[in-house]
Amino acid sequence: MNEPDTLINRRPAVAGQFYPGTAAELQQTMEKMFAKAPKAVNSAEVKAIIVPHAGYVFSGEVAAAAFNQADPLKEYKTVFIIGCSHRNSFAGASVYSIGNYITPFGEAPVDLETARQLSIANKVMSFDPAYQQNEHSVEVQVPFVQYFLKKGVKIVPILLGTQDPSVCKKIAEALKPYFNDENLFVISTDFSHYPAYDEAVKVDKSIADAICTNKPSRLIDAVSACMKKPVENLATGCCSWPSVLTLMYLTEEANDVTYKQLIYRNSGDSPYGDKDRVVGYWGIVISQPIQENGFSLTESEKQQLLGIARNTINEYVRSEKVPELSPSKLTDALMQKAGAFVTLRKHGDLRGCIGHFDADQPLYSIVQQMAVASSTQDYRFSPVQPDEMKDIKIEISVLTPMKKISSVSEIKLGRDGIYVRKGARAGTFLPQVATET
C-alpha cells in the first residue's frame, strides 16, 4: 500500500475504559502505580520487558514494575511495542506507519522512518495499519512510555496477526538489526485466561518458566501442554504468546541475555476481580550485563551518586556530619567496591579534588568520604563555605581496577585515567584532563 501524504494519527480506542481518559487522571494513576513499583536492582542493560495489557486497575502495577527496571533517563532512540491482535487474524504483522499515536497525555511520535522501512522491506510486516485502530494490546503501553521515559522517545507500534512460529521467526529476523542498546522492546501479553485463582498461578508459572529458558521451543511446548491439562475454564495460557515468541527468536543466540521473573499478579488480586475466573499477569525483564572496563553505571545511578555527593557536602559544611544512607535503597552497582575521585569546580575553576584508589569500600561510601575531603581537606584551597554550594559543580570519576600498560597506544584519551609512578613519586590524571588540556 502507498503511504499517505498527510499523517493519519491513531486515536485512542480504550481510553476511559482500560485506563483513565483524561491527562490529569492518567497522571495521578501513573504516580500511584510507580510509587508501589520495585526499583531496579542492578545496573544491567534492560533490553526488553514483558508486560500485561489489561485494564490498569487489574494489571497496571505489574506493568509499572517492569517498566521501572529500565533507565528512565536513558535516551532511547526507539521503543518497539509488540502485541497481538485480539480481533483479526492475518499472516504477519501490522506496523503503524501512517501517523502518530494519541493518548490523553498527547501525541506519542511514531518513528515513521523505521516503521515505513520495516513495512516496505518485509512482506510479513506489510499488513494494513488499520488493524491497529480498535486494538488495545499496543495502545495501553503507550502512556507508560510517555510517562516513564523522561527524555522523550519515538515508538514503533507492531501488531501480530499470526500464530505461526515460522512467521514469528521471520518477523524477528526483520527486527534483529534494531535489537541493540539504542532501543527498548516492550512485549505486550497477558497470561492465563479464566481459570480459578490457584490454577492460574500454576499455569502462569509454567509459561513464565518456559519463557525464562530463552529457548523458543520450550514456550511453544508449554503453551501447547497447558491447554491439554484438565483445567476448568482455561481458554489460553498466554494470550499473546506469538509476540513473546518473536522476542525469544531475537534473543535465543545471545548467551548473556537473562530473563528474570519480576512480579506476578492476577485479576483475583484486584479489588475489582473475583477468584473464580481470573486473568494472569507477569512482569518479566530481559537484560544483558554491561561490559565496559568491567564496570558501568546507568544514567539514574550517576545522578544518584551526584546527589549523594552534593547532599553530603551540604550537610558537612554546615554541621560537620555525614548523612546516613540506607544500603537497602541503593542499587548493586552503588554497593560495589570501587575507588573514586570527587572534583569540585566553581565558575569553571578547580575548587577541590581528592580521590581514593583502592576498591576496598562500597562506591557510595567512598563518594561520601571524597566529597567531604575535596570540600574541606584539599590543602590547595580553603574549605568550602555553605553559601558557595549554589555555584559549585560536582564531578565524580569512578575508578575501575588499575591495569598496567606497555604502550601509550593502549590509552584512549577522554576515557582512561592514568596513574604514573617512579620511585617515591607518583601522579594522577583523571580522564577529563586529556580533553580539557
Side-chain angles (χ1 to χ4, degrees), residues 66-94:
F67 270 96
N68 214 33
Q69 304 311 298
D71 185 352
L73 299 179
K74 179 170 178 177
E75 296 185 33
Y76 290 104
K77 181 178 183 293
T78 304
V79 175
F80 290 78
I81 305 175
I82 306 176
C84 288
S85 176
H86 289 75
R87 293 174 173 79
N88 301 287
S89 177
F90 45 95
S94 162

Side-chain angles (χ1 to χ4, degrees), residues 96 107 203 288 323 364-365:
Y96 202 81
E107 197 167 298
V203 170
Q288 196 170 34
Y364 84 91
S365 178

Side-chain angles (χ1 to χ4, degrees), residues 305-322:
L305 267 187
L306 288 168
I308 288 172
R310 184 167 292 278
N311 289 339
T312 298
I313 297 173
N314 273 325
E315 180 70 23
Y316 193 83
V317 298
R318 286 171 170 80
S319 66
E320 295 189 355
K321 293 181 180 179
V322 176

Side-chain angles (χ1 to χ4, degrees), residues 249-278:
Y249 281 132
L250 280 170
T251 62
E252 65 175 330
E253 295 179 0
N255 295 326
D256 58 347
V257 165
T258 300
Y259 282 70
K260 179 182 178 181
Q261 297 170 18
L262 178 67
I263 185 173
Y264 173 77
R265 298 282 189 276
N266 66 47
S267 57
D269 294 310
S270 167
Y272 301 96
D274 62 59
K275 297 187 184 295
D276 294 330
R277 287 168 60 88
V278 306

Side-chain angles (χ1 to χ4, degrees), residues 300-315 322-326 329-331 334-335 342 363-369 371-372 394 396:
S300 293
E301 287 165 337
K302 292 175 183 178
Q303 293 301 317
Q304 190 173 3
L305 267 187
L306 288 168
I308 288 172
R310 184 167 292 278
N311 289 339
T312 298
I313 297 173
N314 273 325
E315 180 70 23
V322 176
E324 291 187 9
L325 296 177
S326 173
K329 296 182 179 180
L330 302 173
T331 65
L334 300 189
M335 290 297 296
V342 173
L363 175 57
Y364 84 91
S365 178
I366 287 297
V367 166
Q368 283 195 299
Q369 294 173 46
V372 170
I394 301 174
I396 299 173

Side-chain angles (χ1 to χ4, degrees), residues 123-253:
K123 290 183 179 180
V124 293
M125 303 186 74
S126 60
F127 287 85
D128 193 337
Y131 282 128
Q132 299 201 26
Q133 293 293 351
N134 296 310
E135 174 58 45
H136 67 273
S137 64
V138 170
E139 178 184 331
V140 297
Q141 310 305 340
V142 178
F144 280 97
V145 173
Q146 291 173 298
Y147 173 83
F148 181 71
L149 295 177
K150 308 304 183 186
K151 297 293 185 180
V153 69
K154 293 183 178 181
I155 62 173
V156 171
I158 301 173
L159 188 69
L160 274 60
T162 182
Q163 292 193 335
D164 184 339
S166 66
V167 176
C168 293
K169 193 165 190 174
K170 290 178 181 178
I171 295 170
E173 289 171 356
L175 292 172
K176 205 153 204 173
Y178 305 97
F179 193 72
N180 54 46
D181 292 344
E182 291 185 331
N183 303 318
L184 177 68
F185 278 65
V186 175
I187 309 302
S188 179
T189 187
D190 294 339
F191 279 69
S192 63
H193 278 52
Y194 315 132
Y197 187 100
D198 292 339
E199 291 294 343
V201 172
K202 296 175 187 176
V203 170
D204 294 339
K205 187 66 165 67
S206 70
I207 298 293
D209 286 346
I211 292 171
C212 291
T213 65
N214 195 19
K215 296 179 189 265
S217 61
R218 294 281 187 90
L219 174 60
I220 295 171
D221 292 344
V223 169
S224 175
C226 79
M227 295 307 298
K228 295 176 181 176
K229 296 178 180 179
V231 179
E232 187 176 357
N233 295 327
L234 180 65
T236 179
C238 183
C239 70
S240 295
W241 64 265
S243 62
V244 181
L245 184 65
T246 300
L247 173 69
M248 295 177 73
Y249 281 132
L250 280 170
T251 62
E252 65 175 330
E253 295 179 0

